[in-house]
Structures are given as C-alpha cells and as structure tokens.
Amino acid sequence: MASPTQLPAAWGPASGPELSDAGIWSRLKGNGTAVLALVLLLLIGVTSLLVPLLPLDDPLETDYENTLQAPGPEHLLGTDAHGRDELSRVLWASRTSLMVGVLATAIALVTGIAVGGLAGYGGRFIDPLLMRITDIFLSFPVILGAIAILAVAGPGRRNVFLAIALFGWPIFARVFRSSVLSVRERDYVKAARLMGASETRIFMTHILPNASAPLVTYTTMAVAAAILAEAGLSFIGLGVQIPYPSWGLMLAESMVLFDRAPWLVMAPGLAVTLTALVFILLGAVATRAMDPRKSGGGGSRR
Amino acid sequence: MYRFILRRLLQMLLVLLGTVTILFIVIYVIVPGDAAEVILGTRATPETLASLRHELGLDQPIWTQYGIYLWNLAHLDLGTSYSLNRDVASVIGDHLPATAYLAFSALALELFFGVGWGIYLAWRKSVGLEMFSSVLGAVLLAVPVFFLGLVLQRIFGGWLHILPISGLGGWNPANVIMPAVTLAAAQAVIIAAVMKTSLSDEMGKPYMLAARAKGMTERQVLLRHGMRNAIGPVATLLAIDLGILLGGAVITEIVFAWPGLGRTMFFAARARDVPLVIGTVLVLVVIFVVVNTFADIAYKLLDPRVRLGEERHG
C-alpha cells in the first residue's frame, strides 16, 4: 500500500522555488499529461457529484431473481451476488472514495501546516519538541496505524478518514516546516519586518503562500494514498461496512467469484486504479511544473 | 562518528517510547467502553464486569496502568489474545517468519529489478523508454495491491497453472513469487526512476570524463564508477520501503492466504481482538523504526565521504 511519504520521492519533490501562478500555468500549457489528468479529474468529480441525479438503480436494492448477471443492456456492468446493479454501486462508491480521500487529506494538510508552521517559528524549545512528535507519528506506516485505530474504535467511514488523517499529517508538517525555515530568511520577509509588519501579517501574506508550493505535490499524492488506504481498509473489513458500496469492500465480496463473474472484480478494481492514477498524474504534473530544472534556471536539487 | 551513532540510538529509543505511548492512548483513551466489556460482550452482569476489570487492572488509575503496560512490554509481555486465548507474543513469534520471508523476497526483487532497470534506462538514454517507465510506475502505484494480487492470481495460477495460487506451500520458493511480485512491483519502478536520475547525474560529473579519457568503455565507467556513487539515494529509499512493505504485506497476505502477521492481524481485527491487533502493529512498527535507524547508521558508516576520504577514484 502506498503511503504519502514514499510517493513523491520518485518524481523528485519540488524543492520549493517560489513561482508565480502565471509561471506554473504557462508551463502547464501544451502538457498532454496535465490536460489528461485535469479532464479525468473533472469527469470523476462531476460524476460523483451527480450520482444521485443519474437514472441508476438503487445501489442497495437486492434482486435474488437476477443475481450474477453478465453486463448487458439491462445492467451495463451486470449484477452482483445479491442481484444489485454493479454500475450503480461502482458510481455510488466513488463518492465514498473521493470523500474519504479529500477529507482525510484536508485534515492532514491543515494539521500539518499548523504543526509545521509552529515548529518553523517555534525556536529552540518548541521546534524540536514538535518535530520529535512528528517523527513518532511518522514511524507508523499509515495503513498499520489506521488498522490499530479501527480495531479499537470500530470500523466505519468516519473512523476511516479520521484514522488516515491521524497518521497522514506528519509528512506535511515536516515539509512545511523546512519550507518555512527557508522562506523566513528571504530578503522580502526581512524587508517586510523592517517596515514594521506584524508577524501574523508576514506569515499570512508572505510565508504561507510561498512556503506552500512544495505541499502541492504531496497533497495530490496523499489524496491518492488515502483513496488506496480506504480501499484497502474496506477490503479487509475495517472500512465501509456491508451493504454500503465501497470499491475495496466490493472486491472483497466478489474475489471468490472471479471465474464466474470477472466483471465484479474488474469494475471496482479499475475504478480505484483510475481514480488513484488521476491524483498521481496530477502530482507528477505539479512536480514538473515547479521543477526549476525544466525552466532552464539550472542548478541541482540536491 | 560515535556521537552520531549514540545520538541516533537515543533518538530511536525516544521514538519507540512515543510509539508505544500512542498505542497505549489508542487502547485506553479512545476505546468506547473498555476491554472487559469487549471480552464479556453486552450481556455481562455488572458484577462479572467489575471482577474482570479488577483482574485486568482496569480499575487502577491511568498512570499506574501506563506503568504496568510499559513494565510488561519491557518483559516482552504483550498480553493475551481474546480470540485465540494465547499469549500474544508467542502468536506473533509463530507468524513473524512468514512475513519476514515475504518482505525480504519482495525487497530482493525490488532491488534486483529496480536497480537493474534503472541502470538500463541510464545506459540506453531513450526518452521513449523512460516515458514508458514512468507511465508504468504511475499505473503500478495506483493499482491497489489486492487488485493486482487477485489479477496475477487469476492469470498465473488460475489460467496458466504455472504458479501456486496461495499459501506458504511448506516454504516452497514458487509460492512466494506471486505475493512478492505483487508487493514489489510499484516500488521496483520507483527505485528504477531514482537509480536512473542518480546515475545520470553522476555520469555528467568531471571525474567521469577523466575515466572515459583513460579509455574505459562506457559500460565500465557506468558499472565501476557510476554505480558505486549513485547507489546512495536508492539505499535511503530502501529503508523507507520497508515500512511500505510491512504495511502492504498485511493486505497482500490476505489475498494469497499467506500465514504471516498481516493475516493474523486481519483475523484479529475482525474478532475485535484488541491485544493481538495492537501487539502486531507494535511489533511491525518497532521493526520499521529499528531497521531505519540501523540503515541510517550503516549508510553513514559506508559513505566514503565520512570515512576520511580514503576512497580511491579509479
């Protein structure tokens, strides 16, 4: 299972050059991957929002006269072992997946910014304290930490995203702290301070926007990791519970039917893969858009 | 150097203490109800509940309980599994070898194919090949291990009948191939990408020009000098990888009915067997932290720049 710590390493994390939005956007233009990823993201996002309005069967309605039907005009993706419409279940599950992915990452991101920001400003006592706490949480692979929480607090969608967020924030804290430390020393920050701006104002107008750039890649990768974690946790029975649709749970329910009804395995499996892939591609695109080497600026990252 | 090792070990102890504390908080503070209720279920009488609470020490103040918890851990006493009615430490001891076997097989695959593919990419310098590799990497990162595992199982076990579908098969090497490939696939491509970048960076350095000017072939330069100096970032990545392997192994083991810790944890979690789940998580996290620390120290010891610059350059 992928965790946010590992993902960006492959693509080379952006090392935090400050770029204006215009710079990033101009580099996005003419980039096929970026366009593809954004279009897919839009498609998945809009579909999951519109699911309740689409003319779909009830994802929970069983029909024991018509179980394990092959894909056909009646049921585009066939039916499952309880005669429920697979297409409807796959689409409804996208809401769970995206909600957990986005919400868990949002909580982790905000917590990470708060802790990392405090540490970056904290000085001699608070900084090491917060960073040691960060190290401790970082020592839990996200999925293992989440399993511990869920085994104790009980399964369910809400506990899943809280558990993922609880072990997902440290990477953001660490990245944001080092970013704050470097931005703090920039000339324009010193200038603002000399001109008498308050620390709060300096933080909000200079440090936060400029130190956030490296977080972009980590955020998209973390959404992908959270989506995969939700699927994994639901697969092992600690996430979304029956009869509610979740891609991981649907795979677990149908894995023994692979020979008789392969569509029941392929549909949710490909759905998770595609959704995670979109966020991974976005991360790769963001990394490239912010990579100083691609802009001809030169200089090694390490 | 010794100061570095000492500092790193102290840091490790601190992190381990923090880790066990977090797990203590998870068990004793977050739980709705307490262990006694979980064990006895909802139909227990208040008297039996009270007596079991007393037996488990749950009626003590929280600091005393924390002290007892640490004391027990220091004696490798991880409590008793509710569902198996056995000592947690011995259950873990039974299943750890299978997980270690799987994790190390996956690590070996990652290293061999990842480094090999990375070198090939750096040597061929083909833009198309590199593009293919990064697309493959993105897709493999996006595929959940259980889906990849199920599909491989179907293809190689169900249809082609060339590999066993599941189980340890009495430690038969053929049985470890599919689960290890499932676990290693995405990481191998990541390692290849890191290796390729690191090697290409290295190949552009001036000492490489000197080596080439001496008349070494490109292949000799790459393997003799490039490899040696470019492997650093890959080594760092491998230590982090172990955490991912341990986490991923949990799910892979379930798909392949692999009798390791992940599968144990899976059954324990379903049975709400808190001591066994927490004990397993604890052991896996401790392994992760300890291995990371030692990898860090080893890396520092092996780094030629630290070893007083006695490294020969050709």
Side-chain angles (χ1 to χ4, degrees), chain B residues 268-289:
Chain B
R270 294 216 139 178
R272 297 292 297 278
D273 186 344
V274 174
L276 190 50
V277 175
I278 297 292
T280 315
V281 171
L282 185 82
V283 168
L284 291 174
V285 173
V286 167
I287 292 174
F288 179 47
V289 172

PDB file of all heavy atoms in Angstrom, chain B residues 268-289:
ATOM      1  N   ALA B 268      -7.604 -11.037  13.673  1.00  0.00           N
ATOM      2  CA  ALA B 268      -7.738 -10.427  14.993  1.00  0.00           C
ATOM      3  C   ALA B 268      -8.631  -9.188  14.935  1.00  0.00           C
ATOM      4  O   ALA B 268      -9.482  -8.978  15.797  1.00  0.00           O
ATOM      5  CB  ALA B 268      -6.357 -10.068  15.537  1.00  0.00           C
ATOM      6  N   ALA B 269      -8.447  -8.371  13.873  1.00  0.00           N
ATOM      7  CA  ALA B 269      -9.235  -7.143  13.758  1.00  0.00           C
ATOM      8  C   ALA B 269     -10.716  -7.474  13.566  1.00  0.00           C
ATOM      9  O   ALA B 269     -11.590  -6.818  14.112  1.00  0.00           O
ATOM     10  CB  ALA B 269      -8.728  -6.290  12.598  1.00  0.00           C
ATOM     11  N   ARG B 270     -10.986  -8.515  12.811  1.00  0.00           N
ATOM     12  CA  ARG B 270     -12.388  -8.910  12.592  1.00  0.00           C
ATOM     13  C   ARG B 270     -13.032  -9.374  13.887  1.00  0.00           C
ATOM     14  O   ARG B 270     -14.223  -9.187  14.101  1.00  0.00           O
ATOM     15  CB  ARG B 270     -12.446 -10.033  11.573  1.00  0.00           C
ATOM     16  CG  ARG B 270     -12.004  -9.578  10.206  1.00  0.00           C
ATOM     17  CD  ARG B 270     -12.818 -10.267   9.172  1.00  0.00           C
ATOM     18  NE  ARG B 270     -13.167  -9.327   8.128  1.00  0.00           N
ATOM     19  CZ  ARG B 270     -13.864  -9.663   7.050  1.00  0.00           C
ATOM     20  NH1 ARG B 270     -14.297 -10.893   6.904  1.00  0.00           N
ATOM     21  NH2 ARG B 270     -14.149  -8.772   6.144  1.00  0.00           N
ATOM     22  N   ALA B 271     -12.217 -10.007  14.757  1.00  0.00           N
ATOM     23  CA  ALA B 271     -12.754 -10.523  16.011  1.00  0.00           C
ATOM     24  C   ALA B 271     -12.702  -9.464  17.118  1.00  0.00           C
ATOM     25  O   ALA B 271     -13.012  -9.758  18.259  1.00  0.00           O
ATOM     26  CB  ALA B 271     -11.980 -11.771  16.420  1.00  0.00           C
ATOM     27  N   ARG B 272     -12.310  -8.215  16.759  1.00  0.00           N
ATOM     28  CA  ARG B 272     -12.099  -7.151  17.734  1.00  0.00           C
ATOM     29  C   ARG B 272     -11.160  -7.617  18.851  1.00  0.00           C
ATOM     30  O   ARG B 272     -11.363  -7.320  20.022  1.00  0.00           O
ATOM     31  CB  ARG B 272     -13.431  -6.677  18.348  1.00  0.00           C
ATOM     32  CG  ARG B 272     -14.399  -6.060  17.351  1.00  0.00           C
ATOM     33  CD  ARG B 272     -13.944  -4.727  16.788  1.00  0.00           C
ATOM     34  NE  ARG B 272     -13.817  -3.671  17.771  1.00  0.00           N
ATOM     35  CZ  ARG B 272     -14.849  -2.952  18.215  1.00  0.00           C
ATOM     36  NH1 ARG B 272     -16.042  -3.181  17.787  1.00  0.00           N
ATOM     37  NH2 ARG B 272     -14.651  -1.985  19.078  1.00  0.00           N
ATOM     38  N   ASP B 273     -10.159  -8.389  18.475  1.00  0.00           N
ATOM     39  CA  ASP B 273      -9.177  -8.902  19.431  1.00  0.00           C
ATOM     40  C   ASP B 273      -8.092  -7.827  19.608  1.00  0.00           C
ATOM     41  O   ASP B 273      -7.024  -7.894  18.999  1.00  0.00           O
ATOM     42  CB  ASP B 273      -8.593 -10.206  18.875  1.00  0.00           C
ATOM     43  CG  ASP B 273      -7.662 -10.905  19.856  1.00  0.00           C
ATOM     44  OD1 ASP B 273      -7.225 -10.248  20.821  1.00  0.00           O
ATOM     45  OD2 ASP B 273      -7.370 -12.086  19.649  1.00  0.00           O
ATOM     46  N   VAL B 274      -8.394  -6.835  20.458  1.00  0.00           N
ATOM     47  CA  VAL B 274      -7.533  -5.661  20.579  1.00  0.00           C
ATOM     48  C   VAL B 274      -6.075  -5.999  20.945  1.00  0.00           C
ATOM     49  O   VAL B 274      -5.156  -5.513  20.294  1.00  0.00           O
ATOM     50  CB  VAL B 274      -8.147  -4.615  21.537  1.00  0.00           C
ATOM     51  CG1 VAL B 274      -7.188  -3.472  21.771  1.00  0.00           C
ATOM     52  CG2 VAL B 274      -9.453  -4.111  20.961  1.00  0.00           C
ATOM     53  N   PRO B 275      -5.822  -6.833  21.948  1.00  0.00           N
ATOM     54  CA  PRO B 275      -4.410  -7.086  22.292  1.00  0.00           C
ATOM     55  C   PRO B 275      -3.605  -7.651  21.127  1.00  0.00           C
ATOM     56  O   PRO B 275      -2.453  -7.275  20.919  1.00  0.00           O
ATOM     57  CB  PRO B 275      -4.502  -8.123  23.420  1.00  0.00           C
ATOM     58  CG  PRO B 275      -5.854  -7.975  23.976  1.00  0.00           C
ATOM     59  CD  PRO B 275      -6.744  -7.512  22.858  1.00  0.00           C
ATOM     60  N   LEU B 276      -4.223  -8.541  20.351  1.00  0.00           N
ATOM     61  CA  LEU B 276      -3.487  -9.140  19.244  1.00  0.00           C
ATOM     62  C   LEU B 276      -3.232  -8.124  18.127  1.00  0.00           C
ATOM     63  O   LEU B 276      -2.135  -8.057  17.566  1.00  0.00           O
ATOM     64  CB  LEU B 276      -4.247 -10.367  18.710  1.00  0.00           C
ATOM     65  CG  LEU B 276      -3.497 -11.247  17.699  1.00  0.00           C
ATOM     66  CD1 LEU B 276      -2.109 -11.612  18.194  1.00  0.00           C
ATOM     67  CD2 LEU B 276      -4.286 -12.518  17.396  1.00  0.00           C
ATOM     68  N   VAL B 277      -4.231  -7.293  17.799  1.00  0.00           N
ATOM     69  CA  VAL B 277      -4.038  -6.269  16.760  1.00  0.00           C
ATOM     70  C   VAL B 277      -2.959  -5.287  17.188  1.00  0.00           C
ATOM     71  O   VAL B 277      -2.002  -5.015  16.454  1.00  0.00           O
ATOM     72  CB  VAL B 277      -5.337  -5.484  16.480  1.00  0.00           C
ATOM     73  CG1 VAL B 277      -5.067  -4.352  15.489  1.00  0.00           C
ATOM     74  CG2 VAL B 277      -6.413  -6.394  15.940  1.00  0.00           C
ATOM     75  N   ILE B 278      -3.099  -4.763  18.409  1.00  0.00           N
ATOM     76  CA  ILE B 278      -2.148  -3.758  18.882  1.00  0.00           C
ATOM     77  C   ILE B 278      -0.754  -4.364  19.002  1.00  0.00           C
ATOM     78  O   ILE B 278       0.236  -3.751  18.612  1.00  0.00           O
ATOM     79  CB  ILE B 278      -2.605  -3.181  20.253  1.00  0.00           C
ATOM     80  CG1 ILE B 278      -3.948  -2.463  20.095  1.00  0.00           C
ATOM     81  CG2 ILE B 278      -1.552  -2.248  20.823  1.00  0.00           C
ATOM     82  CD1 ILE B 278      -3.915  -1.194  19.290  1.00  0.00           C
ATOM     83  N   GLY B 279      -0.681  -5.597  19.491  1.00  0.00           N
ATOM     84  CA  GLY B 279       0.618  -6.266  19.613  1.00  0.00           C
ATOM     85  C   GLY B 279       1.299  -6.404  18.252  1.00  0.00           C
ATOM     86  O   GLY B 279       2.494  -6.139  18.106  1.00  0.00           O
ATOM     87  N   THR B 280       0.505  -6.780  17.233  1.00  0.00           N
ATOM     88  CA  THR B 280       1.072  -6.961  15.902  1.00  0.00           C
ATOM     89  C   THR B 280       1.535  -5.632  15.314  1.00  0.00           C
ATOM     90  O   THR B 280       2.644  -5.534  14.773  1.00  0.00           O
ATOM     91  CB  THR B 280       0.026  -7.607  14.966  1.00  0.00           C
ATOM     92  OG1 THR B 280      -0.603  -8.669  15.657  1.00  0.00           O
ATOM     93  CG2 THR B 280       0.664  -8.136  13.713  1.00  0.00           C
ATOM     94  N   VAL B 281       0.681  -4.604  15.442  1.00  0.00           N
ATOM     95  CA  VAL B 281       1.066  -3.280  14.941  1.00  0.00           C
ATOM     96  C   VAL B 281       2.351  -2.835  15.639  1.00  0.00           C
ATOM     97  O   VAL B 281       3.297  -2.359  15.001  1.00  0.00           O
ATOM     98  CB  VAL B 281      -0.056  -2.248  15.174  1.00  0.00           C
ATOM     99  CG1 VAL B 281       0.434  -0.844  14.861  1.00  0.00           C
ATOM    100  CG2 VAL B 281      -1.268  -2.576  14.318  1.00  0.00           C
ATOM    101  N   LEU B 282       2.391  -3.022  16.950  1.00  0.00           N
ATOM    102  CA  LEU B 282       3.557  -2.615  17.733  1.00  0.00           C
ATOM    103  C   LEU B 282       4.827  -3.284  17.220  1.00  0.00           C
ATOM    104  O   LEU B 282       5.832  -2.614  16.959  1.00  0.00           O
ATOM    105  CB  LEU B 282       3.327  -3.001  19.197  1.00  0.00           C
ATOM    106  CG  LEU B 282       4.402  -2.538  20.166  1.00  0.00           C
ATOM    107  CD1 LEU B 282       4.158  -1.094  20.549  1.00  0.00           C
ATOM    108  CD2 LEU B 282       4.426  -3.400  21.411  1.00  0.00           C
ATOM    109  N   VAL B 283       4.763  -4.588  17.022  1.00  0.00           N
ATOM    110  CA  VAL B 283       5.951  -5.319  16.560  1.00  0.00           C
ATOM    111  C   VAL B 283       6.391  -4.818  15.185  1.00  0.00           C
ATOM    112  O   VAL B 283       7.574  -4.572  14.950  1.00  0.00           O
ATOM    113  CB  VAL B 283       5.682  -6.842  16.549  1.00  0.00           C
ATOM    114  CG1 VAL B 283       6.779  -7.578  15.801  1.00  0.00           C
ATOM    115  CG2 VAL B 283       5.562  -7.354  17.974  1.00  0.00           C
ATOM    116  N   LEU B 284       5.420  -4.637  14.272  1.00  0.00           N
ATOM    117  CA  LEU B 284       5.776  -4.184  12.928  1.00  0.00           C
ATOM    118  C   LEU B 284       6.392  -2.780  12.951  1.00  0.00           C
ATOM    119  O   LEU B 284       7.374  -2.510  12.273  1.00  0.00           O
ATOM    120  CB  LEU B 284       4.540  -4.215  12.014  1.00  0.00           C
ATOM    121  CG  LEU B 284       4.017  -5.615  11.655  1.00  0.00           C
ATOM    122  CD1 LEU B 284       2.722  -5.539  10.865  1.00  0.00           C
ATOM    123  CD2 LEU B 284       5.062  -6.391  10.863  1.00  0.00           C
ATOM    124  N   VAL B 285       5.811  -1.890  13.761  1.00  0.00           N
ATOM    125  CA  VAL B 285       6.339  -0.530  13.825  1.00  0.00           C
ATOM    126  C   VAL B 285       7.728  -0.512  14.460  1.00  0.00           C
ATOM    127  O   VAL B 285       8.621   0.194  14.000  1.00  0.00           O
ATOM    128  CB  VAL B 285       5.361   0.410  14.577  1.00  0.00           C
ATOM    129  CG1 VAL B 285       5.983   1.769  14.803  1.00  0.00           C
ATOM    130  CG2 VAL B 285       4.064   0.556  13.801  1.00  0.00           C
ATOM    131  N   VAL B 286       7.909  -1.329  15.497  1.00  0.00           N
ATOM    132  CA  VAL B 286       9.229  -1.397  16.139  1.00  0.00           C
ATOM    133  C   VAL B 286      10.285  -1.880  15.129  1.00  0.00           C
ATOM    134  O   VAL B 286      11.363  -1.310  15.022  1.00  0.00           O
ATOM    135  CB  VAL B 286       9.195  -2.311  17.387  1.00  0.00           C
ATOM    136  CG1 VAL B 286      10.599  -2.630  17.868  1.00  0.00           C
ATOM    137  CG2 VAL B 286       8.403  -1.636  18.507  1.00  0.00           C
ATOM    138  N   ILE B 287       9.923  -2.911  14.366  1.00  0.00           N
ATOM    139  CA  ILE B 287      10.858  -3.412  13.349  1.00  0.00           C
ATOM    140  C   ILE B 287      11.220  -2.288  12.379  1.00  0.00           C
ATOM    141  O   ILE B 287      12.385  -2.055  12.065  1.00  0.00           O
ATOM    142  CB  ILE B 287      10.237  -4.598  12.566  1.00  0.00           C
ATOM    143  CG1 ILE B 287      10.083  -5.807  13.475  1.00  0.00           C
ATOM    144  CG2 ILE B 287      11.099  -4.955  11.355  1.00  0.00           C
ATOM    145  CD1 ILE B 287       9.349  -6.973  12.839  1.00  0.00           C
ATOM    146  N   PHE B 288      10.194  -1.571  11.942  1.00  0.00           N
ATOM    147  CA  PHE B 288      10.391  -0.476  10.991  1.00  0.00           C
ATOM    148  C   PHE B 288      11.350   0.586  11.547  1.00  0.00           C
ATOM    149  O   PHE B 288      12.307   0.993  10.893  1.00  0.00           O
ATOM    150  CB  PHE B 288       9.020   0.122  10.662  1.00  0.00           C
ATOM    151  CG  PHE B 288       9.049   1.276   9.713  1.00  0.00           C
ATOM    152  CD1 PHE B 288       9.783   1.222   8.541  1.00  0.00           C
ATOM    153  CD2 PHE B 288       8.313   2.422   9.974  1.00  0.00           C
ATOM    154  CE1 PHE B 288       9.789   2.288   7.651  1.00  0.00           C
ATOM    155  CE2 PHE B 288       8.310   3.484   9.102  1.00  0.00           C
ATOM    156  CZ  PHE B 288       9.064   3.420   7.939  1.00  0.00           C
ATOM    157  N   VAL B 289      11.094   0.995  12.791  1.00  0.00           N
ATOM    158  CA  VAL B 289      11.916   2.046  13.405  1.00  0.00           C
ATOM    159  C   VAL B 289      13.361   1.568  13.595  1.00  0.00           C
ATOM    160  O   VAL B 289      14.311   2.277  13.264  1.00  0.00           O
ATOM    161  CB  VAL B 289      11.312   2.483  14.765  1.00  0.00           C
ATOM    162  CG1 VAL B 289      12.255   3.424  15.501  1.00  0.00           C
ATOM    163  CG2 VAL B 289       9.960   3.139  14.567  1.00  0.00           C
TER     164      VAL B 289
END
